[in-house]
Amino acid sequence: MNIIIFGPNGSGKGTQGAVIRQKFNIPHIESGAIFRENIAKGTELGKKAKEYIDRGELVPDEITIPMILNRLKQDDCKNGWLLDGFPRNPSQAKALWEALQKEGMQIDAVVEIVLDRETAKKRIMGRRLCENDPNHPNNIYIDAIKPNGDRCRICGGRLTVRSDDQDEEAINKRHDIYYDEKNGTMAAINFFKELSKKNNGIPRIIEVDGRPPVEEVTKELMSKLEALLK
Ligand code: AMP
């Protein structure tokens, strides 16, 4: 299975991506993580990318596109891959599509976790971390997982906030890029949707409502992906 996953920050894309990776046993290729690895190792690529990443901007296509296309050619991608964080604009989407066509590779599914901007922002800013267990979900803006006063709703543990979750400016900047239908990630998604319309439903587009609790989103996503295999 070759899958691309889209979803704004706060949509649970990382969590759903991890489930897909396990289920289909394919490498989860995250452009942001590749950049962070290169920065940590001090590679040339890392040095070039760092200044953009630190400013919250996209790394230029000349760096990003070849990096991802090379990654997809590695051995562990032979039986499929899950691409996450790329493409983030229409030119990356087009470059990816053209490169895959050239290699005779196809995209089996383009997954979009659909979540409106306001909800996505609240998801991030309302998140509270339980000191006893980071997997205890608590969010002051989501009724289903509202903390018990100022304590964890599951174990009563003390709650803290992640400082980057409260950086409203950074969240807005990321969402500006994601929800931009002209030059941003939404435009990349629309590129595949248009393609699919013209091309008899290929690549397959799978839209999943990102509003329900994580497990329900996973259930819907998996049933739609499994239907593709039948
Ligand atoms: P992420 O972990 O996906 O949020 O990515 C962290 C940062 O890496 C982003 O804010 C961008 O600066 C950079 N980045 C990740 N993916 C891309 C991409 N497809 N194109 C350009 N820059 C990217």
Side-chain angles (χ1 to χ4, degrees), residues 10 105 125 127 149 153:
M105 276 200 252
M125 298 199 71
R127 187 152 56 189
R153 51 185 277 279

Side-chain angles (χ1 to χ4, degrees), residues 181-192:
E181 294 202 23
K182 219 167 149 220
N183 300 307
T185 309
M186 279 300 213
I189 300 173
N190 288 336
F191 171 87
F192 290 115

Side-chain angles (χ1 to χ4, degrees), residues 9 13 30-33 35-36 49 52-54 56-61 64 67-68 84-89 92 174 177:
N9 256 85
K13 172 171 65 83
E30 296 178 75
S31 48
F35 284 128
R36 282 189 289 278
Y52 299 98
I53 293 178
D54 285 349
E57 292 168 12
L58 289 186
V59 178
D61 286 354
T64 310
M67 174 184 90
I68 294 295
D84 182 347
F86 182 96
R88 247 170 161 107
N89 61 33
Q92 292 181 356
R174 286 165 155 274
I177 297 175

